[in-house]
Structure formats: C-alpha cells, structure tokens
Amino acid sequence: IDELATAAQADPVQFRLKHLDDERARDVLKATADKAGWKPHTQPKQQPAQGDWLQGQGFAYARYVHSKWPGFGAAWAAWVADVEVNRRTGEVHVKRVVVGHDAGLTVNPVGVEHQVHGNVIQTTSRALKEQIQTDPQTGVVTSREWGAYPILSFREVPVIEVFQMPRPDQPSLGAGESSSVPGTAAIANAIFDATGVRFRQPPFTPEVVRAA
C-alpha cells in the first residue's frame, strides 16, 4: 500500500483512508497517526539528516485473522515507526513505535498493553535480525536452538507507546498477536522514507542496507 501511495504521489496515511471502508479501521488509523505526530509527505527523504543518520517515518495497518478459513477477525492494529539509518554503516535503529490497537472491550487493559509491548520487541527483532542460518557446504540449518535467537538488546529497544481504542460497547477480540502483523511493513516503509530505497525482504541488516 505504501508503494501505491508513493506511485500516486499521495501521503501514505491519507491514501489508506481514501481506500478504507471499515470505520473502525479508519478510526484506529487516524488515532495512531495523531498520537505519533505523523509527518505528512508524498515522497521520501523529506526529513533533515542528523549527521550520518537519515531520518524516516513509516506507517502500516492490518487486522489479524485467525483459525480455520475463512477465520475470525481479531484486533485492528496500526503502527507508526520512527527510524534512523546510518548512511555509512547501514545500521537501522528503530527509535520510537506508536501502536494503535482496537480489541473491543479490554477486560485487562494493562495486560493488553504488555502484550503489545512484547509484539513490538519481537517484531522489530524479526525485521532487523531474524534469519535462518545454514551451513554453506551442506545447506543444513544450523540455527536450531533458542539460545542463539537474535533479539533486541536493551540499547536497541525503541520507545513504545500504545493507544487502545475505547470500545467498551463492543465484544472483546483476540489481542495476542494482532499488533505484530503490521510491524515489519511499518519499519520497511520508514527505511524507505529515510533512504528512498525499498526493502521487501527482512531482515534489514546493516550489510543488506549498506549494499542497497
């Protein structure tokens, strides 16, 4: 969707709103963009660099569907990711993530917030680090135990802000994995905003970003 918005020379948030009929989706999009201080733009590289660090902001939205086809809709979720990309090393640092979340009536709002925090950390780790390692000679998978699983260090954890839509009159919906779904796309879109280069295959490691 972000690529279509760029092709149409439209702001990514406004482009989504123009094509979304689901009112609850539209509400969570607007609330997330407002809370994050979304910077409207129709092309990348509009934010000033800070030394070697290019600045970018990316948006993505999804609704998680689970269980047997056609499945059941769970929570709506939207991300705004603020990133910086080092133009020399290719390092990507996700500085801040704002997540808008609509899970209907939340019986335990603090528990949902903790779950979203976990989703953000795991998804950001996936986007920047996670990949299957193989033996170059045999092709056998070598990353087979959790001790070597790449996860963000404390230094790398972004500021995480969660906004839960007030829906006390609506049924409670699944909140376990919903906010994971748009995360990698939001980070990729933010990297594009910072650099003008599209990345479609995570992980967005320094080597991959520097080469592109």
Side-chain angles (χ1 to χ4, degrees):
I1 299 298
D2 204 74
E3 294 188 44
L4 293 174
T6 301
Q9 298 183 327
D11 174 70
V13 171
Q14 291 303 317
F15 185 83
R16 285 171 172 81
L17 290 172
K18 181 178 179 181
H19 295 282
L20 264 177
D21 295 328
D22 184 334
E23 283 302 316
R24 286 178 72 169
R26 292 173 58 86
D27 287 348
V28 78
L29 260 69
K30 289 185 284 190
T32 306
D34 289 345
K35 180 172 178 59
W38 175 255
K39 302 175 178 66
H41 58 272
T42 58
Q43 57 185 331
K45 299 192 289 186
Q46 298 303 296
Q47 294 192 49
Q50 297 180 13
D52 285 334
W53 291 94
L54 307 174
Q55 309 298 312
Q57 192 175 59
F59 191 94
Y61 150 81
R63 187 182 185 195
Y64 184 60
V65 177
H66 63 96
S67 301
K68 187 178 179 181
W69 175 262
F72 303 95
W76 289 259
W79 277 46
V80 173
D82 285 286
V83 309
E84 53 186 8
V85 183
N86 191 294
R87 69 172 102 220
R88 296 184 183 275
T89 67
E91 180 184 355
V92 176
H93 176 221
V94 181
K95 299 187 296 182
R96 176 184 181 229
V97 172
V98 176
V99 179
H101 199 261
D102 180 354
L105 169 65
T106 53
V107 179
N108 183 348
V110 174
V112 172
E113 183 171 344
H114 288 171
Q115 180 66 32
V116 174
H117 275 242
N119 288 165
V120 170
I121 291 172
Q122 185 180 37
T123 302
T124 305
S125 298
R126 288 174 181 167
L128 301 184
K129 297 174 180 286
E130 182 181 327
Q131 57 187 323
I132 295 174
Q133 303 289 344
T134 58
D135 185 312
Q137 302 299 320
T138 65
V140 173
V141 174
T142 59
S143 49
R144 299 194 295 177
E145 50 88 20
W146 289 110
Y149 187 83
I151 198 79
L152 296 179
S153 68
F154 285 112
R155 182 184 71 84
E156 297 168 314
V157 172
V159 174
I160 303 170
E161 301 177 33
V162 181
F163 178 78
Q164 299 184 53
M165 299 295 290
R167 299 289 189 189
D169 58 332
Q170 297 297 322
S172 299
L173 297 170
E177 297 160 329
S178 300
S179 58
S180 292
V181 183
T184 302
I187 293 169
N189 294 339
I191 297 171
F192 170 74
D193 185 47
T195 66
V197 179
R198 284 284 180 195
F199 293 89
R200 301 180 181 87
Q201 183 174 336
F204 313 125
T205 63
E207 296 78 12
V208 168
V209 173
R210 185 174 64 246

